[in-house]
């Protein structure tokens, strides 16, 4: 069972979905700011159908990293969870909060993806790290490209702060939510000046 919520933020419309597995529940998907409610709802709806039908060609996320429908967890419990996620995300984007502490569900990711995502959680607010830095913590520099792909499949951006990972040459690198959003998140956290001025456009 999944519960999702679409909500307005100072940066645009966002979405969050939560799932439960036994006694544990967590947010399993966050949709970054979009121009309209309809765009966010369409993304959440499309991904839920792709999981049910086993299709995955039209989503940025790898099939295994999307919310997995389960028959556990009460709707009320999951509703409380996505409402808490909404409140914290709005406060974060307003600059009123630096940490997000609602539970997340990463069970849809592969073992390697979860390893990468946990490494990213160690990057504090106001700091940036390189893809190589992450790779060295999950097996070695040769995994840098695999790290890049794992970050692109991050189901809960901002909570798992993949926007804090930049290229070795201090350019922005990539971001599933688009470089404009990545740049804005880095500016919010005060880390954009840490990048080379000539490289800020990626």
């Amino acid at each position: 069972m999944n519960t999702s919520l679409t909500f307005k933020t100072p940066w645009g419309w966002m979405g969050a979905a939560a799932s439960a597995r036994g006694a544990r529940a967590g947010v399993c998907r966050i949709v970054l700011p979009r121009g309209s409610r309809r765009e966010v709802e369409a993304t959440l709806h499309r991904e839920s159908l792709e999981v049910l039908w086993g299709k995955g060609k039209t989503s940025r996320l790898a099939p295994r990293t999307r919310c997995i429908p389960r028959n556990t967890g009460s709707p009320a419990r999951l509703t409380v969870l996505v409402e808490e996620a909404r409140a914290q995300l709005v406060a974060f984007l307003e600059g009123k909060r630096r940490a997000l502490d609602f539970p997340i569900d990463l069970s849809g990711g592969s073992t390697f993806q979860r390893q990468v995502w946990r490494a990213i959680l160690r990057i504090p607010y106001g700091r940036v790290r390189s893809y190589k830095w992450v790779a060295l913590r999950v097996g070695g520099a040769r995994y840098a490209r695999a790290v890049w792909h794992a970050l692109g499949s991050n189901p809960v951006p901002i909570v798992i702060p993949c926007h804090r990972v930049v290229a070795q040459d201090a350019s922005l690198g990539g971001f599933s939510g688009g470089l404009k959003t990545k740049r804005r998140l880095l500016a919010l956290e005060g880390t954009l000046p840490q990048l080379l001025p000539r490289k800020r456009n990626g």
Side-chain angles (χ1 to χ4, degrees):
M1 177 182 297
N2 291 341
T3 296
S4 63
L5 176 69
T6 304
F7 52 93
K8 187 73 176 293
T9 77
W11 292 21
W13 288 93
M14 292 184 65
S19 61
R21 179 174 60 175
R24 301 182 65 180
V27 170
C28 57
R29 181 70 171 105
I30 291 173
V31 179
L32 289 167
R34 304 286 177 85
S36 69
R37 175 193 288 270
R38 181 173 295 180
E39 287 182 76
V40 175
E41 291 176 342
T43 298
L44 292 170
H45 180 65
R46 182 179 65 248
E47 290 179 358
S48 66
L49 291 180
E50 287 169 358
V51 170
L52 291 173
W53 296 343
K55 298 179 180 179
K57 294 182 180 179
T58 60
S59 173
R60 289 174 179 266
L61 296 182
R64 293 187 60 186
T65 61
R66 303 191 201 112
C67 293
I68 301 173
R70 301 185 175 95
N71 294 321
T72 57
S74 70
R77 176 189 180 197
L78 297 180
T79 297
V80 169
L81 185 52
V82 292
E83 286 286 1
E84 178 61 25
R86 178 199 62 76
Q88 291 193 27
L89 286 165
V90 169
F92 183 91
L93 296 180
E94 290 177 341
K96 299 176 181 177
R97 187 182 185 101
R98 292 191 170 192
L100 302 170
D101 56 15
F102 52 84
I104 55 178
D105 176 8
L106 303 179
S107 61
S110 68
T111 299
F112 179 76
Q113 286 172 332
R114 293 196 300 270
Q115 188 178 5
V116 170
W117 298 336
R118 292 188 185 106
I120 301 304
L121 286 169
R122 296 166 56 187
I123 305 176
Y125 187 103
R127 299 291 181 89
V128 293
R129 297 290 185 267
S130 69
Y131 293 97
K132 181 179 179 180
W133 180 93
V134 180
L136 289 173
R137 283 152 182 80
V138 296
R142 66 187 182 280
Y143 288 100
R145 182 168 293 275
V147 164
W148 185 84
H149 286 293
L151 294 184
S153 295
N154 176 10
V156 285
I158 300 181
V159 183
I160 295 177
C162 53
H163 61 278
R164 296 175 190 158
V165 182
V166 299
Q168 187 72 16
D169 64 356
S171 62
L172 283 176
F175 189 55
S176 61
L179 293 184
K180 180 179 179 180
T181 299
K182 182 171 187 174
R183 189 178 294 107
R184 194 172 182 185
L185 286 167
L186 293 174
L188 173 70
E189 297 185 11
T191 51
L192 194 60
Q194 295 180 32
L195 305 184
L196 295 176
R198 68 178 183 277
K199 295 288 187 178
R200 287 184 186 173
N201 290 327

